Amino acid sequence: MNGLPCSPACERNREPILRCIRPLLADRRRVVEIGSGTGQHAAWFAPRLPALTWLTTDLAHNHAAIRAWIEASGAPNLEGPLQLDVCEEPWPPLGAVDAAFSANTAHIMPEAGVVAMFAGLGQRLPAGAPFCLYGPFMEQGRHVSAGNAAFDAELHARGSGMGVRDLGWLLQVAAVAGFDLEGVEPMPANNRVLVWRKN
């Protein structure tokens, strides 16, 4: 949409992500998105998943963009944005949520943030709730492509604890928070959707 903050990556990945998450969210009522970013994913997904409510969250500096996309979408099932820093307790009240989604956050947050994200969701999602986590991930300590390796090196050079996370490490973090890995769905550009299920 003209004049709105735009992430080209969101424009490219929204269709394959939607195809992946649609069946996972078919029986859900309210999903919380951790790190809504520009708001593009929320504005694209919500009108195409009209049976559920999509709750946006992010740090305060992203709220103007998210609000702009929510207003432009006109979708009645969009809420937020809530100000949420996963590392800060207590989290704001989310209300009743029975699913979670997050895209391109695990490699931007420091490791402690990833741990806090899983822990916070583990405390708030009911048994059986899906948590869909999109992004680049390492597998068995190795990058799945040269492009991901270069991206990881760039992230580490920026500092602040950023970096592409290994699936093995995420499995440990998720287990402590009460999540089991249900599936690893390949996405374009060597990304994945990791489908976690609250136990």
Side-chain angles (χ1 to χ4, degrees), residues 168-189:
W169 178 75
L170 288 170
L171 285 167
Q172 297 176 45
V173 171
V176 171
F179 289 93
D180 298 316
L181 184 65
E182 183 175 277
V184 178
E185 303 295 332
M187 290 283 121

Side-chain angles (χ1 to χ4, degrees), residues 8 17 33 87 103 144 165:
I17 292 177
E33 181 181 11
C87 291
V144 300
R165 309 304 171 196

Side-chain angles (χ1 to χ4, degrees), residues 106-107 111 114-115 117-118 131 133 136-138 164-177 179 181 194 196:
H107 58 274
E111 286 188 354
V114 180
V115 172
M117 174 171 63
F118 273 94
F131 170 30
L133 181 62
F137 302 99
M138 297 172 67
V164 175
R165 309 304 171 196
D166 185 71
L167 180 56
W169 178 75
L170 288 170
L171 285 167
Q172 297 176 45
V173 171
V176 171
F179 289 93
L181 184 65
L194 306 182
W196 307 92

